[in-house]
Amino acid sequence: MSEMEEKRLFATEKFGGRALYRLHAATVFLGICMVLCYRATHVPAAGSGRAAWLGMLAAELWFSFYWVITQSVRWCPIRRRTFKDRLAARYEGRLPSVDIFVCTADPQSEPPSLVMATVLSLMAYNYPPEKLSVYLSDDGGSIFTFYALLETSTFAKHWLPFCRRHNIEPRSPAAYFAESDKPHDPHDLEEWSCIKDMYEEMTERIDSVVRLGKVPEEIKVSHKGFSEWNSGITSKDHQPIVQILIDGKGNNAVDNEGNVLPTLVYMAREKRPQYHHNFKAGAMNALIRVSSIISNSPVILNVDCDMYSNNNDSIRDALCFFLDEEMGQKIAFVQFPQNYNNMTKNNIYGNSFNVINQVELSGIDTWGGPLYIGTGCFHRRETLCGRKFTKEYKEDWGRGIKTQQHIGHTEEKAKSLATCSYEHNTQWGNEIGVKYGIAVEDVFTGLAIHCRGWESVYCNPTRPAFIGVAPTTLAQTILQHKRWSEGNLSIFLSKYCPFLFGHGKTRLLHQMGYSIYGLWAPNSLPTLYYVIIPSLGLLKGIPLFPEIMSPWITPFIYVSIVKNIYSAYEAISCGDTLRGWWNGQRMWMVRRITSYLYGTIDTIRKLLGLSKMGFVISPKVSDEDESKRYEQEIMEFGTSSPEYVIIATVALLNLVLLCGLLVIINIPIYEAMFLRKDRGRIPFPVTLASVGFVTPMGEMEKRLFATEKVGGRALYRLHAVTVLVGICMVLCYRATHVPAAGSGRAAWLGMLAAELWFSFYWVITQTVRWAPIRRRTFKDRLAARYGERLPCVDIFVCTADPQSEPPSLVMATILSLMAYNYPTEKLSIYLSDDGGSILTFYAMWETSTFAKHWVPFCRRHNIEPRSPAAYFAESDKPRDPSTLEEFSSVKVNHKGFSEWDIGITSKDHHPIVQILIDGKGNDEVDSEGNILPTLVYMAREKRPHYHHNFKAGAMNTLIRVSSVISDSPIILNVDCDMYSNNIDSIRDALCFFLDEEMGQKIAFVQCPQNYNNMTKNSIYGNSFNVMNQVELSGMDTWGGPLYFGTGCFHRRETLCGRRFTKDYKEDWDRGIQTHQHIDHTEEKAKALATCTYEHNMQWGNEIGVKYGIAVEDVFTGLAIHCRGWESVYCNPPKPAFIGVGPTTLAQTILQHKRWSEGTLSVKYCPLLFGHGKIRFLHQLGYSLPSLWAPNSLPTVYYVVIPSLGLLKSIPLFPEVMSPWITPFLYVSIVKNIYSAYEAISAGDTLRGWWNGQRMWTVKRITSYLYGFIDTIRKSLGLSNMGFVVSPKVSDEDELKRYEQEIMEFGMSSPEYVIIATIALLNLVCLMGGLCQILTSGENMLFNGAFLQVLLCGLLVTINIPIYEAMFLRKDRERIPFSVTLASIGFSTLARRVEELEECLEDHFSRLPDAVVGDIVSFLPTKDGARTQVLSSRWRHLWRSAPFNVDLQESNQPFGWRNPVSEIPRILSSHPGPGRRFAIHFCDVPVLRDSPDTTLDGWLQSPALRNLQQLEFHHGGRRPPLPASVMHRFSSTLRIASFGGFCFPDEDGSNASALRLLLLQQLTLVRVTVSECSLRALLAGCPV
């Protein structure tokens, strides 16, 4: 051993086996990463438990993060070992003084006899007693505690010598006498018995006083300290009390052997209701101050009142660290572990803390020292007083008050330090002393000390230093951990979070060690999730873990097993038993779902200011029955508590669902609920409440479907609110920045109108995005509950034209429907052939034969899809078309062919009904002898003079015909090209109809439209992914999706007009079950399929599918909703139906034209027709498709006008540097980013979304525009409704281009002209605008053209496929040359119109105000004044322009007879300067009386300042010319005209009075002037 090591007073040793542990940790970490990878890469589809899956991912992410945090204390733990012999050899005579603080608060929860045993153990340390001072802080201010301490001071005189003499341990008399009933040395029996009797007598006296509730008067007079307790004192309102019971410095403070006793002080700090006392932290700080004037020792030990000293050398152990020459100066405190003496063998409540004591605190000691845990801790006094660590600081270990002082004086001085007001306006509880404001003030204080540069050490000697009393009931355990977790979380969520407060002050791994306890409380949420959601998932049949045969199950099993094996090993190594570890796992769960959960909630409430911090003392005593059950390791409940309800509910929920591990771990809970009879069982109200909570979850098992909210709505709503704010700012900008007339005002107002519409429509779209939901069905429950009692189902398929809808395509759909996974005898398939085609009937007859082989083949091999065309699509063998000879030979094989005679046509034929397979007949079986579904062909009667109402008429006929053949309560209708892709679709739908709680309200179940011929990037935007995944789900929230004509299961009664009533009960057993004569049934059915049957009836109005609108399906669904019914949207992971989407642009435009035209019908507007019948948000949802068509007008405006504005240099958006550009950019960018995210989330590609944006524009400027126009024409009676069947086939070249995602044009069409014209116009405008920008410099770009360039450029980019089809492509389906030529013509015409408008444009308004003002000044007075009413800009121009007044007889504005009254008003209304003043007036009375004064007043007006032209003509007698003419205007007048005046005679001396220096023109009419004056006047005009 080196010399340095021999000098050290302690040694530090690393734990063994760390390499093996780190290998274990690395493999677990790898397993955790694989678990998270699995979670992230196997997220199920929407509606298949995605929300639960993502919740599991979040929980596992948290557990992973927390596990990483815990590795900080397991990576490199250390042990400390002290050398007390070296300490004694080196410092024995110079050991520092030690102050010991004991805190108690309530004599009921902390019995004084228990506290006194602790005090006695501390007084009896193996340490110089004169250097020990023991302080008891009694926060209850109890006279009983003081009395007990007084008794202790007497008993100590006997106990301390006894301990010293026999060197006994422990030195708590209660613990010592409890461990043995006789002394180790028989010779000491007498003394031992005497001391024991003395202790028991003392304890009995103390306990009897407490029981009695008062101290006898004879005892009170024995010590002055009792006088402190008067009649008005209470535990929460009393003066400071300080009593030195033993003064260790006094000569009389000796034991019965004459040895000095330690100082013993009682303190009860002042308490007043109006002052916050800060709980234990306040008591500790008061003790620090009080002790500073009594003993002022450099070392402070604080212990809880129930933690007696178990090791009489603990002080010496601590001093080995403080006094170590090398490391001692850095150490702020020495922390000993918490140990308990009342632990049961198997630690029923998991309170032993063996793993924390042996592993975690040793691990955190590596990185800077353990946290301060509030008891069993030796402090350097200076660190508690706020000192920062510096290398220069040297502790004065010899400090302390050595001399005796007057006790009375010292007590009074100490009392002043224990008052409520002492800390006011000081740093106590902040920078000095123990910290305030958090329930775990100890941890917070230790963190602050570490952050001031100090370190701490963890000392865990072989013999425990301190032993206390652990909670003996579950309630006490939960309460204790709630306080700890709440306090630690408060630190973590405050500015004192270890990662923030400790950043740069302590090591990162030290911060992580502190955070282990700071994050106890948040563990509650993922734990609660993990013990509930997987169980509910099991209930709902939602798999949340890998399949047993999947390789991904390996990391789950590995992490779970290895972590738990190591956890058990760790616990057993630390002293627990295997069963004790198991109990710890139970309590791990119990604490997390109760203590930590409530701790989290209370912390959040405190942060929000909804509650204040409290402190509840953990009781240290239990009654006899509780103690007995505790010793028997039976869990104690006994009282009703919310925490017990949570425990019982979670346990019962897992029992109902049989979730193995959780059930086993909760066995004691079930015993306490159902088996135990003692008082500590779970109370019956708690059991009843837990059953009540579990019952609804059990009831969920009865539900046949579940409704789940789509996740991420809070984030979406935040996005929507910000977009709404941006939209409002855009509209505000538009409304407040309207340009002047002639500066693009009309275009600006059009932009405002378009943006108002887009804003309104965007708000409408929020109804389906605000709170979307998903539905999930439980077909296993349906099968278990209804078995063979499932209702019959009629399936309607409609076709109309064998050319557009090939019979082979239709028959593949029929076969897929016949092969449902459903009792075949309960299926009836009806085909309505509105074309009345014998080819369709023949195909149907062939299908009925093939079905005998196909249906059993599907059942036997359980194939999907069950459309033979889709199933065999991978085969490259072509189908051979039937020859005419084969067809002719087949005709004679069925009587149905006789229906087609030579006179029949598709639009003129009689009704045809043929039952090809009668599912109720014994002969209708397949090749395996099983019954086949009923199969019916129907072609309703058609006559030219009867309107057949298109598909709606066919549906209504099917409803009637089916009512006499099968009459099933459920009707499914599908389009002829929409084959069944999911064999369980019927069962999915029945889960809604047959649900006991909600089923009676449901009228129809709508499945989405999906297509199997979509290209990867959906070139025509026909995938409808966003509509299927988002919009219909969102509409489902408010009352159900709309009915869109296919893939819909109906309740028959709702189609027949029934209104919803709560008392209506569906007869699911209805239907025609018995076999009937086919011919009779067919004839009966034909009568229901005639043209005249509906005459004067409510069919198409109140009954059946609605007539009169192209989208009869949507209107029918709206009518059903308005009758009180609801609908649901069912979108299973495997699509229910798959059809054929349009493969050309023409088909897409045609389809959307029909849809937009039909939904625009004004008569059945959802907001009017649905008012008061369905929810407002449901009405808005219906309005979305209704407003497709009106979207065309603002869209056309927005893709044309900004581009033309760019060409004309008319800015329509804010300047680049203007703050107003922000909302425009924000709304545009954020909306499009979210739109792309939404599309990609729904299954589209990024390019697919881009194609959708192109088609969004194309459909609005073509389909919706034509739909809007046609709707208006129909409303005005200018056209009739029509129905065009969308073709379901394309030729080979079209399909090839479609698969290559090349847009299909090919033919001349008005729609293509619009598309090409707008595309070309934007290209021309962009090029023209850029040329202007390049020629005019950057000013144009930055003065408002930027966004127009951006918009125009975006439109050009999006139209690139259009330009390719116009100019680059050479295939047949390029845009025809005629269309290109027409578009060029229209673009040129638009440019010419703009040029013409430019010629006619008001350029005058573009002139500067100064120039316009000059022009106005040349106008006649009346016209100049009138310019003020043109606009706000012109209002000030007349007054700011030079004054021009012309009051000649021909144009005076006020009449000739008396202009005098108007002249002053005109002159006073203008500020000047003057340009021209011309008045011609008569001889009026005013001028007769005082002509000189009146005329001079006019000419002195400010309006005539700097007058240049003066015309003054008087029509009566000739008054003198006013002198001001010559004087005021001599330097400004250029033109003068005088008439009817008399010029003054001027001699040579006054010749200068007639000088007009700038006069250029002079006119004199009927004036009187002398020759001298005339000469003077002419001489005075030098120009």
Side-chain angles (χ1 to χ4, degrees), residues 113 199-211:
S113 57
Y199 173 70
E200 289 176 348
E201 289 171 3
M202 181 194 74
T203 303
E204 178 57 31
R205 287 195 299 273
I206 294 172
D207 291 343
S208 64
V209 165
V210 174
R211 285 195 302 270

Side-chain angles (χ1 to χ4, degrees), residues 1252-1502:
Q1253 299 305 294
R1254 179 188 308 111
M1255 288 307 301
W1256 174 89
T1257 305
V1258 167
K1259 287 183 292 197
R1260 289 192 176 193
I1261 65 177
T1262 55
S1263 307
Y1264 300 167
L1265 179 62
Y1266 277 86
F1268 184 79
I1269 295 169
D1270 281 2
T1271 302
I1272 300 301
R1273 293 178 70 243
K1274 288 184 181 68
S1275 300
L1276 298 175
L1278 301 178
S1279 67
N1280 297 321
M1281 188 178 75
F1283 189 95
V1284 180
V1285 179
S1286 301
K1288 306 300 188 295
V1289 290
S1290 302
D1291 64 31
E1292 189 175 344
D1293 286 343
E1294 285 179 348
L1295 286 175
K1296 184 177 180 181
R1297 282 186 292 274
Y1298 177 67
E1299 290 167 0
Q1300 294 174 344
E1301 296 190 338
I1302 298 173
M1303 292 188 75
E1304 185 78 23
F1305 295 93
M1307 59 181 182
S1308 296
S1309 166
E1311 290 89 347
Y1312 297 167
V1313 174
I1314 296 175
I1315 296 169
T1317 299
I1318 289 178
L1320 200 58
L1321 181 64
N1322 277 283
L1323 180 61
V1324 170
C1325 290
L1326 178 64
M1327 294 172 65
L1330 290 175
C1331 288
Q1332 291 184 36
I1333 290 171
L1334 292 174
T1335 55
S1336 63
E1338 294 183 357
N1339 288 338
M1340 180 180 170
L1341 181 62
F1342 289 101
N1343 290 339
F1346 174 73
L1347 283 184
Q1348 280 165 266
V1349 171
L1350 203 63
L1351 176 61
C1352 197
L1354 188 65
L1355 290 170
V1356 168
T1357 305
I1358 212 169
N1359 281 318
I1360 286 175
I1362 313 298
Y1363 306 133
E1364 291 175 347
M1366 292 174 72
F1367 305 115
L1368 302 179
R1369 284 168 51 186
K1370 305 298 181 184
D1371 55 83
R1372 282 194 312 160
E1373 301 305 324
R1374 59 166 292 166
I1375 291 181
F1377 180 71
S1378 59
V1379 171
T1380 302
L1381 200 61
S1383 66
I1384 293 172
F1386 281 118
S1387 300
T1388 304
L1389 179 61
R1391 173 61 179 155
R1392 293 300 179 193
V1393 169
E1394 293 302 320
E1395 289 177 355
L1396 180 60
E1397 288 181 357
E1398 188 173 349
C1399 292
L1400 300 175
E1401 187 180 354
D1402 180 16
H1403 291 287
F1404 191 82
S1405 295
R1406 294 190 177 186
L1407 296 174
D1409 285 359
V1411 176
V1412 176
D1414 281 343
I1415 296 172
V1416 170
S1417 69
F1418 286 103
L1419 295 175
T1421 304
K1422 178 173 65 175
D1423 295 337
R1426 283 176 176 174
T1427 61
Q1428 297 178 86
V1429 302
L1430 294 178
S1431 71
S1432 58
R1433 180 198 175 195
W1434 288 78
R1435 192 167 298 143
H1436 70 283
L1437 288 178
W1438 182 70
R1439 288 182 174 85
S1440 63
F1443 185 52
N1444 180 11
V1445 175
D1446 184 0
L1447 300 182
Q1448 297 185 47
E1449 182 180 5
S1450 60
N1451 58 7
Q1452 58 184 317
F1454 43 78
W1456 174 258
R1457 279 186 281 181
N1458 190 15
V1460 176
S1461 59
E1462 296 296 329
I1463 291 175
R1465 183 177 65 81
I1466 294 172
L1467 290 173
S1468 63
S1469 66
H1470 200 286
R1475 178 185 295 279
R1476 180 169 176 256
F1477 186 50
I1479 55 173
H1480 295 241
F1481 53 92
C1482 298
D1483 189 12
V1484 294
V1486 174
L1487 293 178
R1488 292 195 202 105
D1489 297 336
S1490 54
D1492 297 343
T1493 304
T1494 303
L1495 293 175
D1496 196 60
W1498 292 353
L1499 294 175
Q1500 290 295 336
S1501 170

Side-chain angles (χ1 to χ4, degrees), residues 646-757:
I646 296 174
I647 295 168
T649 300
V650 170
L652 198 58
L653 176 64
N654 284 283
L655 177 63
V656 170
L657 302 172
L658 294 176
C659 300
L661 187 62
L662 291 172
V663 169
I664 296 170
I665 210 169
N666 282 316
I667 286 175
I669 313 297
Y670 307 133
E671 292 174 347
M673 292 175 73
F674 305 115
L675 301 179
R676 286 168 50 187
K677 303 300 181 184
D678 55 82
R679 284 195 308 161
R681 61 166 293 170
I682 290 180
F684 181 71
V686 172
T687 302
L688 199 62
S690 65
V691 171
F693 282 115
V694 171
T695 299
M697 300 180 189
E699 288 294 322
M700 289 173 61
E701 190 173 3
K702 295 181 180 179
R703 295 294 304 276
L704 297 180
F705 71 92
T707 301
E708 301 168 347
K709 292 182 179 179
V710 175
R713 286 303 93 186
L715 192 60
Y716 173 77
R717 289 168 188 169
L718 177 63
H719 148 80
V721 168
T722 61
V723 170
L724 179 63
V725 172
I727 288 173
C728 292
M729 292 177 69
V730 166
L731 297 178
C732 177
Y733 172 78
R734 285 283 180 215
T736 57
H737 290 72
V738 179
S743 300
R745 177 188 288 178
W748 187 279
L749 294 176
M751 294 291 285
L752 173 60
E755 287 161 354
L756 276 169
W757 174 264

Side-chain angles (χ1 to χ4, degrees), residues 795-796 951 955 971-975 1043 1045-1050:
I795 304 176
F796 297 169
K951 182 181 176 181
M955 280 287 292
I971 294 173
L972 162 64
N973 85 283
V974 294
D975 285 347
Y1043 161 43
T1046 184
C1048 188
F1049 293 84
H1050 294 271

Side-chain angles (χ1 to χ4, degrees), residues 165-446:
R165 192 162 49 248
H166 300 287
N167 194 29
I168 66 169
E169 281 192 304
R171 295 193 173 180
S172 161
Y176 176 70
F177 292 123
E179 288 181 4
S180 60
D181 55 359
K182 59 182 179 180
H184 298 295
D185 188 349
H187 296 94
D188 300 329
L189 180 60
E190 183 178 351
E191 183 183 8
W192 183 89
S193 299
C194 179
I195 294 295
K196 181 180 181 183
D197 291 341
M198 290 176 64
Y199 173 70
E200 289 176 348
E201 289 171 3
M202 181 194 74
T203 303
E204 178 57 31
R205 287 195 299 273
I206 294 172
D207 291 343
S208 64
V209 165
V210 174
R211 285 195 302 270
L212 185 64
K214 66 177 183 178
V215 178
E217 292 298 327
E218 61 271 18
I219 296 177
K220 285 186 177 181
V221 299
S222 65
H223 194 278
K224 66 180 178 62
F226 287 108
S227 63
E228 298 282 357
W229 280 267
N230 55 45
S231 58
I233 197 170
T234 68
S235 63
K236 295 183 179 179
D237 190 2
H238 60 81
Q239 77 281 5
I241 303 171
V242 177
Q243 292 294 318
I244 302 175
L245 298 177
I246 300 177
D247 182 6
K249 305 175 193 70
N251 296 326
N252 298 325
V254 293
D255 59 25
N256 56 10
E257 292 184 351
N259 298 307
V260 176
L261 285 170
T263 297
L264 183 62
V265 180
Y266 172 89
M267 183 202 78
R269 60 192 171 119
E270 184 182 17
K271 290 277 191 74
R272 300 299 178 196
Q274 66 270 29
Y275 287 93
H276 196 289
H277 57 86
N278 294 303
F279 312 115
K280 182 181 174 181
M284 282 287 293
N285 288 340
L287 284 171
I288 293 171
R289 295 193 297 272
V290 167
S291 66
S292 68
I293 63 168
I294 297 176
S295 54
N296 196 30
S297 301
V299 177
I300 293 173
L301 162 64
N302 84 283
V303 293
D304 285 346
C305 64
D306 63 322
M307 297 289 288
Y308 66 83
S309 169
N310 186 60
N311 186 332
N312 60 29
D313 284 325
S314 297
I315 296 180
R316 295 176 181 271
D317 279 321
L319 292 179
C320 284
F321 296 103
F322 287 123
L323 299 179
D324 183 77
E325 288 81 354
E326 182 178 344
M327 296 293 296
Q329 72 276 11
K330 297 180 181 179
I331 296 172
F333 61 88
V334 179
Q335 180 65 63
F336 288 82
Q338 276 185 298
N339 293 283
Y340 303 115
N341 66 349
N342 63 335
M343 286 291 98
T344 60
K345 178 182 177 182
N346 297 309
N347 190 16
I348 185 67
Y349 296 124
N351 286 324
S352 70
F353 301 138
N354 285 339
V355 172
I356 290 178
N357 291 342
Q358 302 291 338
V359 178
E360 294 185 1
L361 291 175
S362 297
I364 196 173
D365 194 11
T366 307
W367 312 118
L371 36 75
Y372 165 38
I373 56 179
T375 184
C377 189
F378 290 85
H379 293 272
R380 187 188 296 262
R381 179 184 287 268
E382 288 298 310
T383 60
L384 282 180
C385 293
R387 178 178 290 277
K388 294 180 182 289
F389 171 73
T390 59
K391 293 181 179 180
E392 297 78 17
Y393 173 70
K394 298 295 181 184
E395 182 65 69
D396 177 15
W397 295 115
R399 68 182 287 178
I401 298 172
K402 312 292 185 183
T403 60
Q404 183 182 9
Q405 305 175 63
H406 188 275
I407 289 179
H409 175 72
T410 304
E411 286 176 346
E412 291 303 317
K413 190 176 179 182
K415 286 178 184 178
S416 66
L417 301 177
T419 60
C420 294
S421 59
Y422 182 83
E423 294 181 353
H424 187 60
N425 290 330
T426 71
Q427 289 297 313
W428 282 96
N430 186 12
E431 294 297 324
I432 306 174
V434 181
K435 301 288 184 181
Y436 293 158
I438 293 178
V440 286
E441 68 289 321
D442 37 22
V443 177
F444 182 22
T445 301

Side-chain angles (χ1 to χ4, degrees), residues 865-880:
R866 294 193 173 179
S867 160
Y871 180 68
F872 295 120
E874 295 181 1
S875 173
D876 57 0
K877 295 181 180 180
R879 292 169 293 183
D880 293 331

